[in-house]
Amino acid sequence: MTRDLSADTRLLGVIGDPVGHSLSPAMHNAALEATGLDYVYVAFHVVPDLLVAAIQGMRALRLCGLNVTVPHKQAVIGLLDEVTEEARSIGAVNTIQQVDGTLRGHNTDGYGVLQALRQEGGLERLPGCVALLGAGGAARAILHALLQQQEVERVVLLNRTVARAEALAAALDHRNAVTVARLDAGSTAMIRPAGLLINATSVGMYPHADQSPLTDGRGLHDRMVVMDTVYNPSLTMLMQQARCAGARAVNGMGMLAYQGARSFQIWTGTWPPVDVMLQAVRSRLTAVHDRSNA
Ligand code: ATR
């Protein structure tokens, strides 16, 4: 890949700690290449003690936009000039846009999950009952997005540490739609009524590909869509359990690509080719596996 960078080239990037594993540079540069837009996207390893300096640097260098990843998504909020209502109620920013010296924080994760459910899960409308596993940062953005959908009447929120799920529900559930329970071998009855199950825990992620957040596939059924936010491996143990039960199962690549696509649009004003972004993510993951198996 050779691109003509010049004094006019605008800079995009991601800040995180660690950031070396991020797929965002590959994904965004592939879309920039395909659209011919004059931007370049790089990764910055920013330790927490230097977050304030990094955001000052963004202003000084007039960077066009940044993605924000772990552990800075919450802390960065207080350093920005404006934050969208959505990002404020989620309590996390994953995208910063700089316009005329003003830094505006967005959160595109909720958009990413809803769009992936539509495009890949085949769900134009969400079912009335959704089971959500997890209570960390990913679960927070997803729960917020689910509760915005009027057709979702009930969310069953399951987590290993119940207190964390209770705290999450207390923060976001303003319409009494969330039921909290422990994620364990007894979760089957809680899961069965759901038409959609989303795994927002990190269980099953490489290198623990033999693990699933559900002890076995009981509770999964053929009228259910299962989305795993894990995308490495691309076919997780949970997805295998889901397919055995006849359910439609998708991994987290769609969510990753659509949240990225929305950020791209915020920065450039152009909707990117999402298939190109997905392909870049797949090739990068394959290359990483090939290297670690060599
Ligand atoms: P993220 O920001 O990616 O969501 P996180 O905040 O570390 O990451 O949250 C990880 C989620 O995976 C949590 O819901 C966590 O459960 P706890 O709140 O009980 O820690 C869940 N998780 C991680 N490892 C797990 C395991 N072995 N079994 C069950 N849940 C697990």
Side-chain angles (χ1 to χ4, degrees):
M1 180 180 85
T2 45
R3 301 228 307 269
D4 286 331
L5 305 184
S6 75
D8 292 328
T9 304
R10 282 183 281 178
L11 195 60
L12 301 168
V14 54
I15 55 172
D17 177 27
V19 79
H21 64 285
S22 175
L23 297 168
S24 294
M27 188 168 77
H28 283 283
N29 284 312
L32 291 167
E33 176 99 342
T35 51
L37 292 166
D38 192 12
Y39 295 76
V40 65
Y41 187 110
V42 294
F44 298 107
H45 184 183
V46 173
V47 295
D49 281 353
L50 291 176
L51 179 63
V52 173
I55 298 302
Q56 283 168 346
M58 179 181 188
R59 291 182 195 276
L61 299 173
R62 298 240 161 201
L63 304 194
C64 178
L66 287 176
N67 279 133
V68 183
T69 187
V70 176
H72 305 312
K73 286 184 175 192
Q74 290 86 31
V76 81
I77 292 182
L79 307 175
L80 306 176
D81 304 312
E82 298 169 5
V83 174
T84 62
E85 207 179 306
E86 183 180 21
R88 196 167 291 286
S89 48
I90 296 170
V93 157
N94 78 334
T95 303
I96 310 172
Q97 169 195 31
Q98 177 155 219
V99 181
D100 299 331
T102 297
L103 299 189
R104 185 171 171 82
H106 303 254
N107 191 306
T108 68
D109 287 331
Y111 175 87
V113 73
L114 293 175
Q115 199 59 18
L117 286 169
R118 241 174 244 132
Q119 301 295 334
E120 300 197 328
L123 291 173
E124 200 45 58
R125 261 175 74 80
L126 297 187
C129 179
V130 180
L132 175 60
L133 317 182
R140 197 178 173 92
I142 293 170
L143 181 61
H144 182 270
L146 292 174
L147 291 172
Q148 298 293 307
Q149 311 308 304
Q150 287 313 312
E151 68 265 34
V152 176
E153 289 157 16
R154 184 165 171 237
V155 178
V156 180
L157 182 63
L158 301 154
N159 197 47
R160 176 180 61 180
T161 312
V162 180
R164 261 188 111 188
E166 279 167 351
L168 183 55
L172 296 182
D173 183 19
H174 304 302
R175 60 179 172 98
N176 232 348
V178 180
T179 308
V180 168
R182 187 180 308 280
L183 175 59
D184 60 19
S187 303
T188 309
M190 302 292 290
I191 288 166
R192 194 166 283 128
L196 167 66
L197 179 139
I198 303 176
N199 173 39
T201 77
S202 47
V203 183
M205 199 181 276
Y206 178 85
H208 304 291
D210 58 338
Q211 295 177 10
S212 164
L214 302 180
T215 330
D216 52 44
R218 283 186 305 142
L220 303 175
H221 52 77
D222 62 4
R223 295 167 317 286
M224 184 186 262
V225 172
V226 173
M227 170 177 276
D228 202 333
T229 61
V230 174
Y231 51 78
N232 184 16
S234 57
L235 179 62
T236 64
M237 186 55 74
L238 174 66
M239 289 169 67
Q240 293 179 49
Q241 291 170 331
R243 287 180 185 173
C244 279
R248 179 164 181 165
V250 296
N251 66 25
M253 272 187 213
M255 181 180 168
L256 175 72
Y258 282 105
Q259 64 76 30
R262 179 79 186 108
S263 301
F264 188 103
Q265 186 187 38
I266 288 169
W267 297 320
T268 67
T270 300
W271 182 251
V274 178
D275 54 333
V276 169
M277 296 174 100
L278 277 167
Q279 191 46 48
V281 169
R282 277 192 212 104
S283 325
R284 180 45 62 105
L285 287 174
T286 309
V288 169
H289 280 291
D290 288 351
R291 265 205 306 280
S292 57
N293 291 335

